Amino acid sequence: MGVSAKIAPSMLSSDFANLASEARRMLDCGADWLHMDIMDGHFVPNLTLGAPVIKSLGKHTKAYLDCHLMVTNPLDYVEPLGDAGASGFTFHVEVTRENWPELVKKIKSKGMRPGVALRPGTPIEEVYPLVEGENPVEMVLVMTVEPGFGGQKFMPEMMEKVRVLRAKFPSLDIEVDGGLGPSTIDTAASAGANCIVAGSSVFGSPEPAQVILHMRKSVEDVQNSS
Ligand code: DX5
Ligand code: ZN
C-alpha cells in the first residue's frame, strides 16, 4: 500500500484559549497533522472556528492544517481559508452534489489539498465520482460518528465503507474521524484507514505521545503486513 500513516489530533478537544501551545504540544508528541473542525451552526448544530483562527494559528506553526468543513456552503470558505494558510480542505459530499467540480478546482487554485467527507448515513458510492473524476479529490474522510461533537462512540459498521474504498483505491488517503483511540484503532487500520483523527482519546490522555504512537504503529503494522 503506497499510503503513509498520518495521525491528526482534533484540536476541537484542545484548550481553545491556548491553541498555539496545544498545537505545539501535539506536534511535540508526534502528531503529523492538526485536524481543524470548522462548523457553521447550520450543517451541524455546533459552531467552532473559521479562517481568522486558522490564520492566527498559522503564525505559530508550520504544521499541516487538516481542515474539516462541516458547513452548508463550503465554496464561501475557500478563499478565506486559502488566504489564512489552511493546508487541506475537506468538504462534505452531502452539500456539494452539484458544484463539486468547481469547488475542487478552486481549492486547488488556492494551494490547498481537496478532500471529501461523508456522514455515517451517506453511501460510499456517492464519493466515487469525486475520486475518479479528471480533477479528483486527494482524500476521503469516512465519518465514524455523526459530525458535530467530539467524544462520541466509534461506529464500527462504517468500516465496510473503508474496506471497499481501500480495495478500489489502493493509494488513496483514507481518513477516519470520530471515536478513534487505542481501543478502536486496530479495527480502522485493518479496514484500510491511514489518516487517523483523534480528539478526546489524545487530549484526554495523560500520555498523548503514547496514544499517538500506538495509533501510528497500528496503521504501520497493517501496511507492513499487506
Ligand atoms: C466531530 C469532529 C471530530 C471530533 C473527533 O464532528 O469532526 O474531528 O473532534 O473527536 P473524537 O476523537 O473525540 O471523537
Ligand atoms: Zn473532524
Side-chain angles (χ1 to χ4, degrees), residues 5-9 30-34 194-196 202 212 215-216 219:
K6 302 285 182 210
I7 310 300
D32 300 283
W33 292 352
L34 300 174
N194 66 299
C195 303
I196 312 296
V202 172
I212 290 171
M215 293 195 286
R216 179 187 310 292
V219 173

Side-chain angles (χ1 to χ4, degrees), residues 132-189:
E132 291 170 331
E134 60 176 49
N135 208 7
V137 296
E138 294 171 30
M139 184 172 82
V140 174
L141 194 185
V142 175
M143 286 304 297
T144 46
V145 298
E146 275 303 333
F149 300 91
Q152 303 180 74
K153 199 172 163 290
F154 177 76
M155 299 166 75
E157 60 275 26
M158 293 301 121
M159 291 305 99
E160 190 51 27
K161 292 184 186 177
V162 175
R163 265 189 290 277
V164 298
L165 208 55
R166 178 54 75 215
K168 211 168 150 58
F169 306 108
S171 57
L172 177 70
D173 272 338
I174 301 177
E175 187 169 64
V176 283
D177 182 6
L180 271 304
S183 63
T184 50
I185 185 62
D186 288 344
T187 308

